[in-house]
Amino acid sequence: MDLEFGRSPQRDSWKTTMLLAYQSLGVVYGDLSISPLYVFKSTFAEDIQHSDTNEEIFGVLSFVFWTLTLIPLIKYVSIVLRADDNGEGGTFALYSLICRHGNVSLLPNRQIADEELSTYKLEGNPETADKTRVKVWLEKHKNLHTALLVMVLIGTCMVIGDGVLTPAISVFSAVSGLEFSLSKNHHEYAVIPITCVILAFLFALQHFGTHRVGFIFAPIVLAWLLCISALGLYNIIYWNPHVYQALNPYYMFKFLKKTRKYGWMSLGGILLCMTGSEAMFADLGHFSYSAIQLAFTALVYPALILAYMGQAAYLSKHHDFYSNSQVGFYIAVPDKVRWPVLVLAILASVVGSQAIISGTFSIINQSQSLSCFPRVKVVHTSEKIHGQIYIPEINWLLMILCIAVTVGFRDTKHMGNASGLAVITVMLVTTFLTSLVIMVCWHKPPLVALGFLLFFGSVEALYFSASLIKFLEGAWLPILLALILMAVMLVWHFTTIKKYEFDLQNKVTLEWLLALGDKLGMVRVPGIGLVYTDLTSGVPANFSRFVTNLPAFHNVLVFVCVKSVPVPYVFPKERYLVGRVGPPGHRSYRCIVRYGYRDVHQDVDSFETELIESLARFIKLDASYRCSEASEQQLEEWEPGLTVIGSNTLRDHASYDLQDSVQHSAASVEMMPPAADSPGGAGSELAAHASSAKQVRFFIDSLVASPQADKHVTEELEALSAAREAGTAFILGHSHVQCKPGSSVVKKLTVVGYNFLRRNCRGPDVVLRVPPASLLEVGMVYVL
């Protein structure tokens, strides 16, 4: 399998697994491995005191041990990682699985042909699988579909919020080790500026892509894990060899019995020990289940346990601190190695921050594919590694917010409270979605899913309550960020769906398009016109508005629908559905371009090249099919149904009915490799465009020269080639949304918010990568 489109499902060799496990250290475990920097410091910040009885420190150690054992080790490594979507993980992977197995998707443009995609696989046979009452109930009520999407968006908002908080608390905690090397006055004025400089430097490097420096990430995290393991062993052996007894769960109850309410409130700091656990699932697609499992169980988990035990062993013999702020990681580091450990900690915190920043870019791109986020510019930073992307406006916004959090909070306590709430909310969402996957996708008894939900959900709910009580002490920040992001996402999604419904109701008939030439004296001009629309059938209203005001359109007309399907990625040979609109002599076609939620849109040159090749191959295949299979009656019908024809044979095909009244024939066409883009300025772009034009011309000439080509096919291919050489125009709708008279206040505010976002965010031409010189926008007013 091409590395660009995920890992092969075949079992990896042990050498490959070892290599992937090593590489996963820098990408997956950076955030989780640096948690010892701030867990004890956040826990003892205010709620509880470190006393001579050591009941507090041993109780916290017991909580940390069992939290790491139950959540990352058992929940994620043993269960959640198995709920992958074609090797991909994360919140959207779980949502995609549920949408495919249960009819709960809110995505428009759904077609039966999408279920034939290679990545649209279902667990078991969906026709023979018994539908549970919960599944029937979930599919029946539309409100539950919306509630499910809202839950996914809540998890998404908290991941984005974690992208603001994790870099701040990680780098700040690492730099705060200077307090043991500088005087108090110098320390107060040094930590904040140094942290802000490192954060600014980190975000400034994002546009280069992680692949340029990613090779040093794994060695840094490996060195850090070995370092904290060695420090932990040293402190255990030197200070308290019997600290292992605190792993007994009895110490948790003893801790809560003594500290009561304040012990419960301190759980908001303890939960930080599992920050970064979600990355094991979110980054599953870059590695493999066995590699992530091996890295965690063999190295990361033992190293973290040793690090926390070592800190507890040191603290159990030291109680003379002038403040609780000294109860942290660096106090247990010997003076002779404090500076090297400080440098290594800063490097490890940068690596951990990089992982969450990349994850934020990825989840925003996925939200955009579901029409749940305003359009942003997505830059693919690596030509070899799929999924490494950069979003400029999000990057600088994250940098500003990170620096603002650092300057505003100025301590680990408030940052930890904010980060903890974001982390535990994402875990609760994952627990709920996984329980649905167990029942709906894996077809397990509802009691099994309920047991999973109650067991892990109750543990996480305990931590969630302890974080929520810290609302005034920092936890308000992720809630505020989530509310703002949720408002933006819901406004954008609601209005986008309403616009699609408006287009669906106002589309014009095929007969209207065919009769237009006689009524208006329509003129066909040289070139290819690509009319972008969200409709998979019929003629969009914006095109009718265009031709009635300017009675002319191109010799070759293609209605292009770029749609998302609930799969992580679509293979290039299955990306296009091509069909006719009208008789062959009308030279009008429809092209449906399908992307998964992890796909990145192609460059315009490669897209145009593939589209023309698709049309040329479809013309050839369609003529062969009509001659060999179709009757005379079928030849007179211009759109007999959606026909998916394999790229290698004309005998194996299947017909599908469309969701709309107007139907069209289409063919799944195997693409030739896209032309490589030449880096450089305008000259290289023109060279690439000329090269792609020559490639298309050569491809069409080879079809024309074939002995099977008849006269009509030759004429159609020659017309396509001539239109390609004349140039291509991209026709997009420039929309403005208005409310109907008498609409509610909420609807009016939603429309105002959408128009504001539309004017201040990227246009569809940027997202679709349309060249400005070839862009033609048609104004369209939507009255909702």
Side-chain angles (χ1 to χ4, degrees):
M1 179 181 291
D2 193 339
L3 286 178
E4 184 182 1
F5 297 99
R7 295 197 48 76
S8 171
Q10 298 178 357
R11 188 177 181 88
D12 295 324
S13 65
W14 68 271
K15 291 183 179 180
T16 304
T17 301
M18 292 288 290
L19 178 61
L20 290 174
Y22 168 73
Q23 293 174 342
S24 70
L25 293 176
V27 177
V28 178
Y29 297 109
D31 189 11
L32 184 61
S33 65
I34 59 177
S35 57
L37 286 173
Y38 45 78
V39 169
F40 281 179
K41 194 169 186 177
S42 298
T43 305
F44 288 92
E46 183 176 332
D47 299 316
I48 56 177
Q49 303 292 325
H50 178 41
S51 64
D52 295 338
T53 62
N54 290 326
E55 291 180 353
E56 294 84 3
I57 195 65
F58 289 159
V60 170
L61 176 60
S62 185
F63 264 106
V64 167
F65 172 76
W66 287 106
T67 300
L68 284 174
T69 302
L70 291 177
I71 304 301
L73 183 62
I74 298 179
K75 175 191 165 184
Y76 279 95
V77 173
S78 302
I79 302 175
V80 175
L81 287 183
R82 300 179 185 272
D84 66 288
D85 181 13
N86 293 280
E88 299 289 340
T91 304
F92 282 99
L94 295 173
Y95 181 65
S96 175
L97 282 173
I98 297 170
C99 287
R100 295 208 302 270
H101 288 79
N103 187 22
V104 296
S105 176
L106 294 178
L107 284 176
N109 309 335
R110 284 181 291 169
Q111 297 172 284
I112 299 178
D114 297 337
E115 298 179 10
E116 297 298 320
L117 291 170
S118 300
T119 49
Y120 201 104
K121 63 180 182 179
L122 303 177
E123 299 285 343
N125 188 350
E127 296 181 358
T128 59
D130 295 331
K131 286 193 174 183
T132 63
R133 292 182 180 180
V134 176
K135 183 177 180 180
V136 174
W137 181 60
L138 193 62
E139 293 178 349
K140 183 179 179 181
H141 295 85
K142 292 292 183 181
N143 291 336
L144 295 178
H145 302 180
T146 305
L148 184 62
L149 178 63
V150 169
M151 177 170 291
V152 172
L153 294 183
I154 290 174
T156 301
C157 293
M158 287 300 181
V159 170
I160 298 173
D162 197 25
V164 173
L165 297 166
T166 293
I169 188 174
S170 299
V171 177
F172 180 84
S173 299
V175 177
S176 64
L178 291 172
E179 67 178 319
F180 296 99
S181 303
L182 300 175
S183 64
K184 186 176 181 180
N185 293 333
H186 290 105
H187 165 257
E188 291 179 352
Y189 294 104
V191 172
I192 300 297
I194 292 175
T195 301
C196 293
V197 169
I198 293 175
L199 288 173
F201 179 74
L202 173 64
F203 283 100
L205 292 179
Q206 293 301 310
H207 72 281
F208 291 110
T210 57
H211 64 284
R212 299 183 186 275
V213 292
F215 66 93
I216 65 172
F217 283 0
I220 289 175
V221 177
L222 177 61
W224 171 251
L225 290 172
L226 294 177
C227 172
I228 61 177
S229 300
L231 289 173
L233 280 173
Y234 168 79
N235 286 324
I236 292 171
I237 296 172
Y238 189 81
W239 294 110
N240 190 351
H242 301 288
V243 72
Y244 68 90
Q245 296 176 358
L247 304 183
N248 190 329
Y250 169 73
Y251 283 88
M252 291 191 293
F253 298 102
K254 194 175 180 180
F255 166 76
L256 292 176
K257 184 179 179 180
K258 179 180 179 180
T259 57
R260 298 183 182 275
K261 174 186 175 182
Y262 297 102
W264 164 66
M265 294 174 64
S266 69
L267 295 179
I270 296 174
L271 73 87
L272 295 175
C273 70
M274 52 183 176
T275 55
S277 300
E278 188 72 22
M280 288 191 288
F281 186 44
D283 294 322
L284 181 61
H286 297 294
F287 302 98
S288 66
Y289 170 73
S290 56
I292 291 179
Q293 184 184 48
L294 176 64
F296 183 78
T297 55
L299 180 60
V300 179
Y301 178 75
L304 290 175
I305 298 301
L306 286 174
Y308 289 116
M309 290 177 65
Q311 291 184 56
Y314 179 89
L315 294 172
S316 66
K317 300 298 182 181
H318 297 79
H319 307 89
D320 51 342
F321 303 121
Y322 63 83
S323 71
N324 275 358
S325 63
Q326 286 197 311
V327 181
F329 173 78
Y330 287 105
I331 194 67
V333 178
D335 294 337
K336 294 182 180 180
V337 296
R338 186 165 288 159
W339 276 104
V341 171
L342 174 65
V343 173
L344 188 56
I346 293 175
L347 292 176
S349 67
V350 170
V351 173
S353 302
Q354 175 61 58
I356 191 63
I357 293 170
S358 300
T360 304
F361 292 157
S362 178
I363 203 165
I364 288 177
N365 182 51
Q366 295 170 36
S367 302
Q368 187 178 228
S369 70
L370 288 177
S371 300
C372 293
F373 201 86
R375 290 181 288 261
V376 291
K377 183 179 180 180
V378 178
V379 180
H380 205 172
T381 59
S382 175
E383 297 180 357
K384 298 180 180 179
I385 304 175
H386 183 71
Q388 288 197 359
I389 59 176
Y390 166 69
I391 304 177
E393 45 265 63
I394 300 299
N395 180 70
W396 302 121
L397 183 60
L398 287 177
M399 184 192 74
I400 294 172
L401 291 175
C402 274
I403 293 177
V405 167
T406 304
V407 175
F409 283 159
R410 292 177 171 266
D411 61 15
T412 308
K413 170 190 169 184
H414 290 82
M415 293 183 193
N417 294 337
S419 179
L421 183 61
V423 168
I424 200 63
T425 304
V426 176
M427 290 184 174
L428 277 170
V429 171
T430 300
T431 299
F432 181 81
L433 294 178
T434 305
S435 64
L436 286 179
V437 168
I438 292 173
M439 187 167 40
V440 175
C441 307
W442 295 351
H443 310 295
K444 300 296 182 182
L447 287 177
V448 176
L450 183 62
F452 174 87
L453 178 62
L454 290 179
F455 180 76
F456 292 105
S458 60
V459 175
E460 291 164 355
L462 177 65
Y463 284 113
F464 178 80
S465 63
S467 295
L468 199 59
I469 203 68
K470 302 290 186 65
F471 179 81
L472 297 177
E473 299 174 7
W476 58 268
L477 181 59
I479 295 177
L480 178 63
L481 290 176
L483 288 176
I484 296 174
L485 289 170
M486 277 292 294
V488 170
M489 289 181 169
L490 291 177
V491 164
W492 190 266
H493 181 74
F494 172 80
T495 313
T496 301
I497 296 298
K498 291 299 180 183
K499 285 176 59 182
Y500 172 76
E501 294 175 355
F502 182 90
D503 284 335
L504 203 60
Q505 295 171 0
N506 292 274
K507 66 182 180 180
V508 297
T509 62
L510 182 64
E511 290 76 11
W512 177 89
L513 178 64
L514 297 177
L516 202 59
D518 299 332
K519 292 181 179 179
L520 298 178
M522 192 65 61
V523 178
R524 304 293 289 267
V525 297
I528 299 177
L530 302 182
V531 182
Y532 281 83
T533 175
D534 290 332
L535 300 177
T536 56
S537 63
V539 178
N542 62 346
F543 181 72
S544 66
R545 182 184 180 89
F546 170 71
V547 295
T548 51
N549 287 277
L550 181 64
F553 57 90
H554 298 81
N555 284 333
V556 175
L557 190 65
V558 185
F559 295 97
V560 181
C561 173
V562 179
K563 57 177 287 189
S564 295
V565 288
V567 295
Y569 46 82
V570 177
F571 291 110
K573 66 179 181 181
E574 299 176 327
R575 191 176 303 281
Y576 295 86
L577 290 174
V578 184
R580 294 189 186 277
V581 177
H586 198 266
R587 305 289 190 266
S588 297
Y589 309 90
R590 186 180 312 282
C591 179
I592 300 175
V593 190
R594 301 179 290 185
Y595 288 96
Y597 56 82
R598 281 191 179 271
D599 280 327
V600 178
H601 287 203
Q602 301 157 274
D603 179 83
V604 65
D605 288 331
S606 63
F607 170 74
E608 189 178 347
T609 301
E610 291 184 1
L611 178 61
I612 304 305
E613 291 175 358
S614 303
L615 292 174
R617 192 180 292 274
F618 167 75
I619 292 169
K620 182 73 174 177
L621 294 176
D622 184 59
S624 302
Y625 172 69
R626 287 170 177 265
C627 293
S628 60
E629 298 284 343
S631 62
E632 293 297 328
Q633 182 180 1
Q634 287 176 318
L635 286 174
E636 294 176 0
E637 296 176 357
W638 299 318
E639 294 188 333
L642 179 61
T643 305
V644 180
I645 304 174
S647 58
N648 296 323
T649 176
L650 296 176
R651 291 174 296 176
D652 299 330
H653 63 275
S655 297
Y656 302 92
D657 293 328
L658 286 179
Q659 58 185 359
D660 304 319
S661 59
V662 182
Q663 299 177 325
H664 61 276
S665 62
S668 166
V669 182
E670 183 173 7
M671 300 297 100
M672 297 181 65
D677 298 330
S678 303
S684 60
E685 292 180 2
L686 291 174
H689 183 78
S691 175
S692 64
K694 290 180 180 179
Q695 180 182 352
V696 172
R697 179 70 191 184
F698 176 78
F699 179 75
I700 295 177
D701 288 344
S702 65
L703 294 180
V704 173
S706 63
Q708 294 82 8
D710 59 19
K711 179 181 178 181
H712 297 291
V713 172
T714 301
E715 291 178 354
E716 194 169 0
L717 290 174
E718 288 292 347
L720 178 63
S721 178
R724 173 67 172 84
E725 293 178 356
T728 302
F730 298 80
I731 304 173
L732 276 69
H734 185 83
S735 62
H736 179 75
V737 182
Q738 295 179 353
C739 281
K740 292 180 180 179
S743 299
S744 64
V745 176
V746 175
K747 191 172 185 180
K748 290 179 181 179
L749 291 176
T750 301
V751 169
V752 170
Y754 177 84
N755 285 326
F756 174 81
L757 292 172
R758 179 186 58 80
R759 287 192 299 267
N760 292 278
C761 295
R762 303 279 185 171
D765 55 316
V766 176
V767 177
L768 297 171
R769 308 190 179 195
V770 175
S774 304
L775 175 63
L776 179 60
E777 290 188 303
V778 181
M780 186 70 185
V781 177
Y782 290 84
V783 182
L784 306 182

